[in-house]
Amino acid sequence: MTDQDSAARLAAIHARIRAAAKQADRAPDSVTLIAVSKTKPAEAIEPLLAAGQRVFGENRVQEAQEKWPALRTRFPDVELHLVGQLQSNKAADAVDLFDAIHAVDRPSLVTALAAAMEKSGRRPACYIQVNIGDEPQKGGCPVAELPALLTAARAAGLPVIGLMAVPPLGVEPAPYFALLAKLARDHDLPGLSMGMSDDLDTAVTLGATAVRVGTALFGARA
């Protein structure tokens, strides 16, 4: 993909965010675009960096460790988000590398992240991932267990700023986004990480503060 293609795709996503925000009477800059660069090599990421994108998401700690340190020497203002599942034994690596962690979903991970933050002094922003569709194959905390997990995360000193969810595939996402927004309000959390390439417009109208976009920026994954 050329720099021109990347710039055009980026502009198209920003136009969608602006239109959805306008519809909801929100400021477009209240929505952060996270370019999800998982499985993409550094050379596929560089055109988006050249086009001005600075917030990126990765699914796996090890993959991010392989490509981002070198990219960050050239683009030190990059903000890196971990948007995939996190194993507790990778918590320290995640805290060292990422500026935000979107998949805090169980007490053991809360404990591991708190210990890693205490040791390193770094405090990436955290989102509690909610299994909003109650799907057994998906990560995320069951809705019923959210209050207890949130209490534990706050007690451990994690900087929890919001909730994250992935609605079930193939169904209308609006009710799930609306539920996540209600849960965030109920728990006094300002952040809502929800919405991807296909449904970011709906997510923004329902309050998303961060949308995670991969395919629409990078093309289909191999």
Side-chain angles (χ1 to χ4, degrees):
M1 201 189 309
T2 66
D3 286 15
Q4 218 170 358
D5 291 338
S6 291
R9 287 181 178 213
L10 187 60
I13 295 297
H14 279 299
R16 286 173 63 188
I17 290 171
R18 279 195 305 275
K22 185 178 179 183
Q23 192 181 333
D25 202 19
R26 298 179 61 196
D29 62 4
S30 65
V31 183
T32 298
L33 170 59
I34 302 169
V36 180
S37 46
K38 66 177 183 181
T39 77
K40 298 297 176 184
E43 55 268 27
I45 297 168
E46 285 171 359
L48 273 180
L49 285 161
Q53 177 64 19
R54 286 297 180 272
V55 185
F56 288 83
E58 290 285 342
N59 262 41
R60 292 171 64 245
V61 174
Q62 191 174 347
E63 186 189 334
Q65 285 172 321
E66 287 164 6
K67 61 192 182 189
W68 279 104
L71 285 169
R72 273 179 144 171
T73 59
R74 293 165 51 213
F75 300 95
D77 55 341
V78 159
E79 194 177 294
L80 205 53
H81 292 235
L82 180 65
V83 297
Q85 298 306 118
L86 177 60
Q87 296 168 300
S88 296
N89 65 358
K90 295 279 188 189
D93 289 338
V95 166
D96 286 343
L97 185 61
F98 291 95
D99 302 295
I101 295 170
H102 288 242
V104 181
D105 63 356
R106 59 197 186 280
S108 60
L109 183 55
V110 166
T111 303
L113 286 170
M117 289 182 193
E118 181 71 25
K119 188 174 177 184
S120 73
R122 290 195 87 239
R123 293 175 55 75
C126 292
Y127 293 81
I128 302 288
Q129 183 179 358
V130 181
N131 187 343
I132 203 77
D134 195 24
E135 298 172 276
Q137 79 280 14
K138 262 191 191 153
C141 158
V143 172
E145 294 172 22
L146 175 61
L149 184 62
L150 195 49
T151 297
R154 285 169 165 161
L158 294 195
V160 179
I161 65 162
L163 302 179
M164 182 269 244
V166 182
L169 269 175
V171 297
E172 170 54 50
Y176 297 97
F177 292 150
L179 174 57
L180 195 72
K182 181 187 184 302
L183 291 169
R185 285 193 303 274
D186 290 348
H187 294 286
D188 202 23
L189 290 166
L192 276 175
S193 170
M194 61 187 196
M196 299 190 283
S197 293
D198 290 340
D199 56 20
L200 71 90
D201 319 78
T202 305
V204 170
T205 60
L206 289 168
T209 60
V211 292
R212 310 179 305 271
V213 178
T215 306
L217 287 170
F218 290 100
R221 291 192 175 81

